[in-house]
Amino acid sequence: QVQLVESGGGLVQAGGSLRLSCAASGSILRINAMGWYRQAPGKQREVVAAMPSGGSTNYADSVKGRFTISRDNAKNTVTLQMNSLKPEDTAVYYCNADLVYSSGIYVISRNYWGQGTQVTVSS
């Protein structure tokens, strides 16, 4: 089954770094638009970084200069490198991507969410 599986979350001290990875399972043809989101308790889910298909990368002002989004087409993975982490970065992080794959008859394009991974930054 085609899905996105996240890894890399955990506990880190302020100023530290973490790398979140999101692997697309199944025999996909390609990854189109992709992005990372986060949701803190009592708050709405917000966009952290986005990479539209064929477009330039956009970052939330709160993470600009500290976070970097990327993808590895050979490994069918998307990555979020997080440096200089702050306590306010604490949240559940979700990856999102449009995955293209074959059903055997049709070519399918569908949006998928990762299961979420907890990032906790201590003071």
Side-chain angles (χ1 to χ4, degrees):
Q1 182 178 355
V2 176
Q3 60 181 3
L4 291 172
V5 180
E6 297 184 35
S7 63
L11 175 65
V12 65
Q13 293 183 333
S17 299
L18 282 175
R19 177 176 293 175
L20 306 183
S21 295
C22 192
S25 66
S27 299
I28 68 170
L29 297 176
R30 64 181 182 273
I31 301 174
N32 286 335
M34 57 171 287
W36 285 90
Y37 300 74
R38 68 184 181 187
Q39 186 168 20
K43 297 183 178 180
Q44 292 183 315
R45 186 173 300 185
E46 64 175 347
V47 177
V48 175
M51 184 182 293
S53 179
S56 60
T57 302
N58 296 305
Y59 296 92
D61 290 339
S62 60
V63 307
K64 193 172 299 182
R66 300 187 296 119
F67 291 10
T68 303
I69 187 173
S70 63
R71 71 181 186 184
D72 187 334
N73 290 325
K75 297 181 178 180
N76 291 325
T77 60
V78 296
T79 301
L80 183 68
Q81 178 66 46
M82 305 184 294
N83 299 324
S84 301
L85 284 163
K86 305 174 181 179
E88 50 264 44
D89 293 321
T90 296
V92 177
Y93 285 71
Y94 300 87
C95 64
N96 180 272
D98 291 333
L99 305 181
V100 181
Y101 61 97
S102 175
S103 67
I105 300 176
Y106 303 100
V107 174
I108 307 298
S109 179
R110 184 177 177 182
N111 184 257
Y112 289 84
W113 286 95
Q115 81 279 8
T117 185
Q118 177 70 49
V119 172
T120 302
V121 184
S122 62
S123 300

Coordinates of all heavy atoms in Angstrom, one line a residue, residues 8 18 20 24 30-31 34-35 41 44-45 56 65 75 84 91-92 95-96 109-110 117 120:
G8 N 12.5 10.1 12.9 CA 13.5 11.2 13.3 C 13.1 12.1 14.4 O 14.0 12.9 14.8
L18 N 17.8 18.3 14.6 CA 17.1 17.1 14.3 C 16.9 17.0 12.8 O 16.7 18.0 12.2 CB 15.8 16.9 15.1 CG 15.8 16.5 16.5 CD1 14.4 16.6 17.1 CD2 16.4 15.2 16.7
L20 N 14.2 15.1 10.3 CA 13.0 14.3 10.1 C 13.0 13.8 8.7 O 13.3 14.5 7.7 CB 11.8 15.2 10.3 CG 11.6 15.9 11.7 CD1 10.3 16.6 11.7 CD2 11.8 14.9 12.8
A24 N 8.4 7.3 1.3 CA 7.2 6.8 0.6 C 7.3 5.3 0.3 O 8.3 4.9 -0.4 CB 7.0 7.6 -0.7
R30 N 6.8 8.9 -8.9 CA 7.5 10.1 -8.5 C 6.7 10.9 -7.4 O 5.6 10.5 -7.1 CB 7.6 11.1 -9.8 CG 6.2 11.6 -10.3 CD 6.4 12.5 -11.5 NE 5.1 13.0 -12.0 CZ 4.4 12.3 -12.8 NH1 4.7 11.1 -13.3 NH2 3.2 12.9 -13.2
I31 N 7.4 11.8 -6.8 CA 6.9 12.7 -5.8 C 6.7 14.1 -6.4 O 7.7 14.6 -7.0 CB 7.8 12.8 -4.6 CG1 8.0 11.4 -3.9 CG2 7.2 13.8 -3.6 CD1 8.9 11.4 -2.8
M34 N 5.4 18.8 -2.2 CA 5.6 18.2 -0.9 C 5.8 19.3 0.2 O 6.0 20.5 -0.2 CB 6.9 17.4 -0.8 CG 8.2 18.2 -1.3 SD 9.7 17.3 -1.0 CE 9.8 17.4 0.8
G35 N 5.6 19.0 1.4 CA 5.7 20.0 2.5 C 5.7 19.4 3.8 O 5.5 18.2 4.0
P41 N 0.0 21.7 20.8 CA -1.2 21.5 21.6 C -2.1 22.8 21.7 O -1.5 23.8 22.0 CB -0.8 21.1 23.0 CG 0.6 20.4 22.7 CD 1.2 21.2 21.6
Q44 N -3.7 25.4 15.8 CA -3.9 24.9 14.5 C -2.7 24.3 13.8 O -1.6 24.8 14.1 CB -4.6 25.9 13.6 CG -6.0 26.4 14.0 CD -6.6 27.3 13.0 OE1 -5.9 28.3 12.6 NE2 -7.8 27.1 12.7
R45 N -2.9 23.4 12.9 CA -1.7 22.9 12.1 C -1.3 24.0 11.2 O -2.1 24.7 10.5 CB -2.2 21.7 11.3 CG -1.0 21.0 10.6 CD -1.5 19.7 9.9 NE -1.9 18.7 10.9 CZ -2.3 17.5 10.7 NH1 -2.2 17.0 9.4 NH2 -2.8 16.7 11.6
S56 N 9.3 27.3 -6.3 CA 10.4 27.6 -5.4 C 9.9 27.2 -4.0 O 8.7 27.1 -3.7 CB 10.8 29.1 -5.4 OG 9.7 29.9 -5.1
G65 N 15.8 30.2 7.7 CA 17.2 30.3 8.1 C 17.6 29.2 9.0 O 18.8 29.0 9.2
K75 N 15.6 7.7 -3.4 CA 15.1 6.9 -2.3 C 13.7 7.1 -1.9 O 13.2 6.6 -1.0 CB 16.0 7.3 -1.1 CG 17.5 6.9 -1.2 CD 18.2 7.3 0.1 CE 19.7 6.9 0.0 NZ 20.5 7.2 1.2
S84 N 19.4 24.8 15.1 CA 19.1 25.9 16.1 C 17.7 25.8 16.7 O 17.0 26.8 16.7 CB 19.4 27.3 15.4 OG 20.7 27.4 14.9
A91 N 6.3 20.4 18.8 CA 5.1 20.1 18.1 C 5.1 18.7 17.6 O 6.2 18.1 17.5 CB 4.8 21.2 17.0
V92 N 4.0 18.3 17.1 CA 4.0 17.1 16.2 C 4.2 17.5 14.8 O 3.4 18.4 14.3 CB 2.6 16.3 16.4 CG1 2.6 15.1 15.5 CG2 2.5 15.9 17.8
C95 N 4.6 15.2 7.6 CA 5.0 15.4 6.2 C 3.8 15.2 5.3 O 2.8 14.6 5.7 CB 6.1 14.4 5.7 SG 5.7 12.7 5.8
N96 N 3.8 15.8 4.1 CA 2.7 15.7 3.2 C 3.3 15.7 1.8 O 4.3 16.5 1.5 CB 1.8 16.9 3.4 CG 0.6 16.9 2.4 OD1 0.7 17.4 1.3 ND2 -0.5 16.3 2.8
S109 N -2.6 9.9 -9.0 CA -2.0 11.0 -8.3 C -2.8 11.3 -7.0 O -4.0 11.6 -7.2 CB -1.8 12.2 -9.1 OG -1.2 13.3 -8.4
R110 N -2.2 11.2 -5.9 CA -3.0 11.3 -4.6 C -2.2 11.9 -3.5 O -1.0 11.7 -3.5 CB -3.5 9.9 -4.2 CG -4.4 10.0 -2.9 CD -4.9 8.6 -2.6 NE -5.7 8.6 -1.4 CZ -6.2 7.5 -0.9 NH1 -6.0 6.3 -1.4 NH2 -6.9 7.5 0.2
T117 N 5.2 12.8 13.9 CA 6.3 12.5 14.8 C 6.5 13.6 15.8 O 6.5 14.8 15.4 CB 7.6 12.2 14.0 OG1 8.6 11.7 14.9 CG2 8.1 13.4 13.2
T120 N 10.3 17.5 20.6 CA 10.3 18.2 21.9 C 11.6 18.9 22.1 O 12.6 18.2 22.1 CB 10.0 17.3 23.1 OG1 8.7 16.7 22.8 CG2 9.9 18.1 24.3

